[in-house]
Amino acid sequence: MNKVAKKLVLVGATSLIASNCARIWVQNGFNEVVLIGRDRKRLENVGCDLAVRSGRDDFSCSCEVVCDGTDAESVTETIDNICRDAVPDIVLIAQGSSLDMNEELQQNLSRLKSSLLLNGISPVLYAQGFARHMEKKGAGHVVMIGSVAGDRGRSSNYVYGSGKSLLDTYAEGMRHYFALKKCGVMVTVVKPGPTLTPMTADLVGKVKLADVKDVAKCIVRGVDCGKKTVYAPSRWRLIMFVIRNLPSFVFNRLNI
Amino acid sequence: MTLVSSWGLLKKTEHNIYPVADRLQRQFLQSEHLGDNRTFLPRGNGRSYGDVCINSGGTLLWTGFLDKFVDFDPQNMTVTVESGVLLRDLQRFLVVKGFMLPVTPGTQEVSVGGAIACDVHCKNHHMYGTFGCNVKSFKLLRTDGELLTCSSSENAGFFKATIGGLGLTGLVVEATLLLKKVAGSWINAENIPFANLNEFFDLSKASENKYEHTVSWIDCITGDGERGIFMRGNNSERRDCELLKGSINFPFTPPFSLVNSLSLRLFNTFYYYAQSLKSRPFWVQYEKFFYPLDHVGNWNRIYGKKGFYQYQCVVPMSAGYDAVSEIQQQIAKANEGSFLGVLKTFGRKKSPGLLSFPVHGVTYALDFPNRGDKTEKLFRNLDSIVRESGGRLYLAKDARQPKELFELGYGDAMNEFIKYADPRISSDLSRRLMGF
């Protein structure tokens, strides 16, 4: 068994995709896990699950409660706290994911603002916060969960999608920055297709939903290979390639 | 509303599906989530064959996301998990640590909650009893929001009613299970061909003291309808661990059943001779030994769009030979047959579950494609054999038994069970047989 300490941080740790990825990493030798989320009891349940699955004597798991992930000060404080002893090897940011109906958000600007803050700004705050520490160490991997909805704005979910698309540009910028600095920090954006989670359960039978375990396997494989963008399941790379490249006069006639 | 069916694919009916996101969640108990029929039903992986896991017009409390491990205690040989954890994932976790669940059914694609609710059994009933005999305790969430810790010493009435209670007493949110120690992932197995039922009963008697796992496949279509393969085995001392990877998937539902007299004849002849060749003891990985059908995902589709029934009865040992023999004759007379004919003896170990199926005797399980009235006519004949032998049918597999046969088999236990049933939970089966 690998005895070298490997540290994993999950932001939005109660997310099903995040916790399923963590199960695989923990089995692959990560022995220190920090969980960030809003509800301590739920975080502890996730931690407990990972501890049992790990089965290692040297496994440790801690929980950090951040009530507002869009508040820069509390995010900074939490990140500095976590990085004090050791900078994490992987940070998986699964913050956000509020699938509100577009029509409601168009009519209510304060809800629109919170959706954009939650899905766009908050993950970027965490990514940049951890990247600062990783830069000093010269190594680390920031993984942000985006969405296929971020690839092209569509009538049904462009508020959510545009929040997520911020992660793409930000990640691209970070990769460029670290390449110029010749620093070994890696940045990956994961784009899951529709996945069966408590949030999407009402779509069962209407849309083909991927199993979260398969999505997690796909993400871990992509991240471990150092990919810049991971589509999960991978068929979404092709689907989104087609959708992105549809000419506007065709795209605007389709209700997709 | 979403169309949902059980593993038998006999009917698809409309349901509200409410996924229980984690064990702290209680929102789903609000009455606004009740469906048209105003009741809930907990549902795990939906692997029961009949109508025990469907609640037409109602709400299914789906436990697929309750898949967290809570505690593993190798010293006391227990594991605590949420109720949606699949036995496959739990077994694979345990076996590399030198443990196994003592009792698992013929598929490992069932949830822990489902295994408790149907009080499933294994090939080792004569040694370990049912799944419920190996449950230490569980937490039961009633639909009024009350969370009860149940064990043989605490809330014992709910404990007995929930084991084999078909999900009708509440939602099991987590359970603590007893484990057994194993050296590795291997079974030392042996296949013995037998020519008739007498040989089967002799082999059963001779094997039960020396072998933990005993089961028979019976060829009810070729030969004289009584030959079969007796499979027995023990957990091997071989210490290494191998986990299987991947399985094939039956990709679509054909418009008609692919199981017919020609395909059955071919399959049964091939299977009989293929298994007969393995008469010398051999090592087999536990998943291949216990769950052979799991290697073909969605194998239920093979029976076509009309689906299929599984008929499983148990009859007391004294009536065992005559009953099984008569069932064989009836099947031959009806020109029906099953590629999955499983014959096994149950031991004397009694389950705590009030509505638990196994009793000391012989159990016989058969699959039949749904051919409408023709199949129902055969079932009525089989029912009368079971009735006369003092036997009963397995509720987890039943989709059609008459109320009167149910009352003969389970009537006494029902009087006690009804005290613990949750008033806001029902299933198609409970409405069909129990009147609520």
Side-chain angles (χ1 to χ4, degrees), chain A residues 16 20 23 39 41-42 45-46 48-49 52-55 196-198 201 204-206 213, chain B residues 1-2 17 19 21-25 27 62 65 67-72 88-89 93 97:
Chain A
L16 214 58
N20 273 277
R23 284 175 185 175
D39 184 326
K41 191 75 195 119
R42 287 191 159 86
N45 286 349
V46 174
C48 198
D49 175 60
V52 174
R53 285 175 196 265
S54 151
L196 181 59
T197 64
V204 173
K206 295 165 198 145
K213 288 192 178 77
Chain B
M1 298 289 263
T2 310
I17 299 181
D22 65 57
R23 60 183 184 272
L24 301 170
Q25 197 188 22
Q27 290 100 306
W62 185 58
F65 297 130
D67 67 343
K68 293 190 192 70
F69 290 11
V70 180
D71 185 42
F72 171 56
R88 177 194 59 207
D89 297 338
F93 165 79
K97 295 181 163 51

Side-chain angles (χ1 to χ4, degrees), chain B residues 2 28 174 183 190 235 274 343 395:
Chain B
T2 310
F28 56 85
E174 65 176 65
E190 205 176 335
N235 284 82
L343 195 57
L395 298 174

Side-chain angles (χ1 to χ4, degrees), chain B residues 39-59:
Chain B
T39 62
F40 295 114
L41 180 69
R43 174 167 161 131
N45 209 25
R47 282 300 182 112
S48 40
Y49 291 74
D51 53 2
V52 69
C53 64
I54 47 184
N55 180 19
S56 305
T59 299

Side-chain angles (χ1 to χ4, degrees), chain A residues 127-190:
Chain A
Q128 187 56 48
F130 279 108
R132 283 187 305 134
H133 290 275
M134 288 175 176
E135 187 183 350
K136 283 181 214 152
K137 187 186 164 195
H141 200 147
V142 177
V143 184
M144 292 187 266
I145 308 270
S147 169
V148 290
D151 274 14
R152 189 164 192 181
R154 285 179 294 124
S155 162
S156 57
N157 61 1
Y158 66 84
V159 176
Y160 172 78
S162 56
K164 289 291 190 185
S165 72
L166 173 60
L167 310 189
D168 254 338
T169 317
Y170 204 90
E172 202 172 20
M174 285 171 92
R175 279 193 291 267
H176 190 217
Y177 172 82
F178 288 125
L180 294 178
K181 287 255 174 185
K182 298 200 171 16
C183 174
V185 179
M186 290 193 282
V187 186
T188 299
V189 177
V190 174

Side-chain angles (χ1 to χ4, degrees), chain A residues 44-81:
Chain A
E44 282 170 358
N45 286 349
V46 174
C48 198
D49 175 60
L50 294 176
V52 174
R53 285 175 196 265
S54 151
R56 293 172 63 129
D57 299 333
D58 61 348
F59 183 85
S60 71
C61 180
S62 57
C63 303
E64 295 281 343
V65 177
V66 176
C67 298
D68 182 5
T70 61
D71 173 33
E73 274 175 33
S74 50
V75 169
T76 312
E77 196 187 322
T78 309
I79 293 172
D80 291 348
N81 223 352

Side-chain angles (χ1 to χ4, degrees), chain A:
Chain A
M1 204 176 270
N2 189 356
K3 287 285 173 196
V4 181
K6 285 169 98 180
K7 185 169 176 176
L8 171 70
V9 177
L10 299 184
V11 183
T14 53
S15 136
L16 214 58
I17 292 180
S19 56
N20 273 277
C21 290
R23 284 175 185 175
I24 303 175
W25 275 314
V26 158
Q27 275 157 9
N28 291 349
F30 277 81
N31 60 346
E32 189 183 349
V33 179
V34 183
L35 308 174
I36 303 177
R38 276 176 302 185
D39 184 326
R40 178 167 295 278
K41 191 75 195 119
R42 287 191 159 86
L43 290 176
E44 282 170 358
N45 286 349
V46 174
C48 198
D49 175 60
L50 294 176
V52 174
R53 285 175 196 265
S54 151
R56 293 172 63 129
D57 299 333
D58 61 348
F59 183 85
S60 71
C61 180
S62 57
C63 303
E64 295 281 343
V65 177
V66 176
C67 298
D68 182 5
T70 61
D71 173 33
E73 274 175 33
S74 50
V75 169
T76 312
E77 196 187 322
T78 309
I79 293 172
D80 291 348
N81 223 352
I82 291 169
C83 296
R84 192 164 297 132
D85 299 329
V87 177
D89 299 278
I90 294 182
V91 177
L92 176 67
I93 302 163
Q95 186 78 340
S97 308
S98 157
L99 257 184
D100 291 320
M101 294 306 290
N102 245 22
E103 288 121 40
E104 287 169 39
L105 297 174
Q106 285 160 351
Q107 300 308 322
N108 185 334
L109 293 189
S110 58
R111 286 192 57 195
L112 172 70
K113 182 183 161 193
S114 18
S115 172
L116 289 171
L117 283 171
L118 192 64
N119 289 309
I121 304 294
S122 173
V124 163
L125 292 181
Y126 278 107
Q128 187 56 48
F130 279 108
R132 283 187 305 134
H133 290 275
M134 288 175 176
E135 187 183 350
K136 283 181 214 152
K137 187 186 164 195
H141 200 147
V142 177
V143 184
M144 292 187 266
I145 308 270
S147 169
V148 290
D151 274 14
R152 189 164 192 181
R154 285 179 294 124
S155 162
S156 57
N157 61 1
Y158 66 84
V159 176
Y160 172 78
S162 56
K164 289 291 190 185
S165 72
L166 173 60
L167 310 189
D168 254 338
T169 317
Y170 204 90
E172 202 172 20
M174 285 171 92
R175 279 193 291 267
H176 190 217
Y177 172 82
F178 288 125
L180 294 178
K181 287 255 174 185
K182 298 200 171 16
C183 174
V185 179
M186 290 193 282
V187 186
T188 299
V189 177
V190 174
K191 298 181 179 178
T195 305
L196 181 59
T197 64
M199 229 169 44
T200 57
D202 51 345
L203 299 177
V204 173
K206 295 165 198 145
V207 178
K208 192 177 177 196
L209 297 167
D211 183 68
V212 72
K213 288 192 178 77
D214 295 335
V215 169
K217 266 187 222 159
C218 194
I219 294 173
V220 170
R221 208 182 309 128
V223 169
D224 289 351
C225 296
K227 282 189 181 171
K228 289 182 283 192
T229 309
V230 178
Y231 284 88
S234 51
R235 65 173 177 274
W236 281 94
R237 181 178 291 277
L238 180 65
I239 298 171
M240 293 320 294
F241 175 81
V242 173
I243 292 180
R244 265 198 322 271
N245 289 293
L246 279 176
S248 295
F249 70 88
V250 178
F251 182 71
N252 290 341
R253 283 181 169 77
L254 299 175
N255 187 13
I256 49 174

